[in-house]
Amino acid sequence: LPLEKYIRVHILPSSHVNICKRDDQLLIYVLSTLQNIRQRHYIRKTWANMTHHSNLSKTCCIFIIGTASSDLVDSWSYQRHLDNEKQLYNDVVQINHSESYRNVVYKEIAALQWSYKYYRAIPFLFKTDDDLIVDSILLSSIIHSLIRQDMKNTYVDKYRPYFMTNLVPFNQKSFFKGWEMDRQPVQHTGFGVVMSSTVRNRLYRASLFYETESVVWVGDVFVSGFLGRTARVQCRNLGLDYEQTASGNCSCLMKQNPMLTICSTMIHSGIENYNEYEATWKVILQRHQSGKTNETEDASTDNPLPEFLDHTFAYSTWKTKEQHY
């Protein structure tokens, strides 16, 4: 089939989810893949569970997912399980583009398009990936301070006294910030991007007239770099800390650095280990102990895996062993 002249994203009709509230202040969208069932499960139990802390009461989280690639074994089973996730959690936006590194660009644009259409009034958005652990409490509290134009943030002021002063007052028309990685320009950030809804609008509108043949098929580089230049917005350094590690030690790193906001799991380096999500989240909750809701830490994270997820994991483990041998 010939390529469309302009880049176009096709979102499946079942993706009109309503997990967000009209008065939410932050929309977090997580790029995931059809196969990453476990990662989504642990994210929902930890840093995307908005009942954990009062700062999260006006934050919502969705997952952006593609369709099965042609080489995915038992693709029908993964889609069936994703359909179950949609019904159970109502937080999945699925696009009709197959899972591939190249098609991450479509996921990036899909998040802009979907939020523009259904939640245009939410003032801030944050993009990240499902192999990362985020201090969503800290991030949400900073967004709340920005909206109030308040230079005081008890937690941030304690560890980085001038951070909020440098951030507030902010220009909503150009608020577009990410993480510098390995001394690369900010537009090459891969850990996450925070943007105002005004910047989202400009990026989305620019994408409508971006010719497909000119697209650089690397998601974060395209959106924060090339598309950003077309939309006349520049991604700058946010100034919060990150850690790119394969040590499985995010919980210790978070203890050592109270301003560490985002940390890569071992999965980021291709090693399957899911223990980090819960261990690190407990450290994050302890950081922000004074603002917790009445729920206990354990009560909110000890939910068993849904039955359909258990079956998927059993199948996935068997299939991995089969391929290994």
Side-chain angles (χ1 to χ4, degrees):
L1 292 175
L3 288 175
E4 295 176 283
K5 182 177 181 180
Y6 300 108
I7 186 167
R8 290 291 181 266
V9 177
H10 304 284
I11 300 177
L12 295 180
S14 60
S15 297
H16 301 161
V17 299
N18 56 11
I19 190 172
C20 300
K21 303 185 296 294
R22 294 295 169 183
D23 63 343
D24 279 339
Q25 297 179 344
L26 175 63
L27 169 59
I28 298 175
Y29 58 95
V30 184
L31 304 192
S32 187
T33 65
L34 195 63
Q35 305 96 299
N36 291 356
I37 300 170
R38 254 187 171 167
Q39 284 152 251
R40 291 191 295 277
H41 172 72
Y42 284 105
I43 289 173
R44 289 184 182 110
K45 288 181 70 179
T46 57
W47 61 262
N49 186 328
M50 302 313 165
T51 65
H52 279 301
H53 194 280
S54 57
N55 279 347
L56 297 173
S57 63
K58 291 187 179 297
T59 298
C60 66
C61 181
I62 62 169
F63 296 90
I64 313 291
I65 301 171
T67 53
S69 59
S70 57
D71 60 348
L72 179 63
V73 177
D74 203 15
S75 59
W76 64 270
S77 179
Y78 283 107
Q79 183 59 53
R80 177 170 59 86
H81 292 311
L82 185 68
D83 291 339
N84 285 334
E85 284 185 66
K86 289 178 183 179
Q87 292 183 2
L88 189 59
Y89 304 110
N90 198 33
D91 61 358
V92 172
V93 174
Q94 189 173 22
I95 63 173
N96 194 22
H97 301 269
S98 61
E99 297 285 9
S100 70
Y101 183 75
R102 172 188 172 96
N103 284 354
V104 169
V105 165
Y106 288 111
K107 292 181 182 179
E108 297 267 15
I109 300 299
L112 303 176
Q113 176 179 317
W114 181 87
S115 61
Y116 179 86
K117 185 172 182 180
Y118 296 105
Y119 290 100
R120 197 177 306 185
I122 295 178
F124 285 93
L125 301 92
F126 172 63
K127 168 261 173 176
T128 192
D129 298 311
D130 67 2
D131 53 6
L132 304 172
I133 298 171
V134 178
D135 184 343
S136 52
I137 300 173
L138 174 56
L139 188 65
S140 295
S141 76
I142 290 171
I143 294 300
H144 296 166
S145 295
L146 282 176
I147 291 171
R148 295 192 306 267
Q149 292 283 284
D150 186 358
M151 295 183 191
K152 294 181 180 180
N153 183 304
T154 305
Y155 183 88
V156 176
D157 292 346
K158 182 178 180 180
Y159 300 106
R160 193 152 297 168
Y162 299 105
F163 179 84
M164 293 306 304
T165 304
N166 293 332
L167 212 57
V168 178
F170 74 101
N171 184 347
Q172 189 167 356
K173 292 182 179 179
S174 61
F175 193 92
F176 191 25
K177 296 181 181 292
W179 276 265
E180 289 181 339
M181 293 180 61
D182 301 326
R183 299 181 181 177
Q184 295 178 353
V186 178
Q187 60 261 32
H188 290 169
T189 181
F191 268 43
V193 174
V194 185
M195 70 183 80
S196 67
S197 58
T198 304
V199 169
R200 183 271 319 278
N201 297 348
R202 294 175 70 168
L203 290 171
Y204 173 58
R205 289 166 186 156
S207 75
L208 296 174
F209 302 99
Y210 207 101
E211 294 191 357
T212 305
E213 63 179 18
S214 301
V215 172
V216 174
W217 297 99
V218 182
D220 52 340
V221 174
F222 172 67
V223 172
S224 58
F226 291 87
L227 188 60
R229 281 199 288 272
T230 302
R232 297 183 180 179
V233 289
Q234 184 177 357
C235 188
R236 301 182 183 277
N237 186 22
L238 180 58
L240 292 173
D241 298 345
Y242 78 92
E243 185 67 50
Q244 187 171 14
T245 177
S247 65
N249 214 20
C250 283
S251 58
C252 292
L253 293 168
M254 289 276 186
K255 283 181 180 178
Q256 294 166 6
N257 180 1
M259 288 300 288
L260 178 56
T261 310
I262 191 163
C263 185
S264 63
T265 65
M266 295 176 75
I267 300 167
H268 191 73
S269 301
I271 304 168
E272 280 198 58
N273 185 329
Y274 301 93
N275 297 328
E276 283 181 273
Y277 289 94
E278 290 180 292
T280 307
W281 182 244
K282 287 183 178 180
V283 171
I284 291 171
L285 282 175
Q286 289 165 4
R287 284 177 165 185
H288 306 281
Q289 191 80 24
S290 61
K292 269 179 51 181
T293 62
N294 292 328
E295 292 189 34
T296 64
E297 293 173 20
D298 291 338
S300 56
T301 58
D302 279 348
N303 298 328
L305 297 177
E307 184 179 357
F308 72 85
L309 292 180
D310 274 334
H311 292 165
T312 299
F313 299 159
Y315 173 84
S316 177
T317 302
W318 170 82
K319 183 56 66 177
T320 300
K321 290 179 179 178
E322 180 191 58
Q323 291 171 344
H324 178 74
Y325 290 108

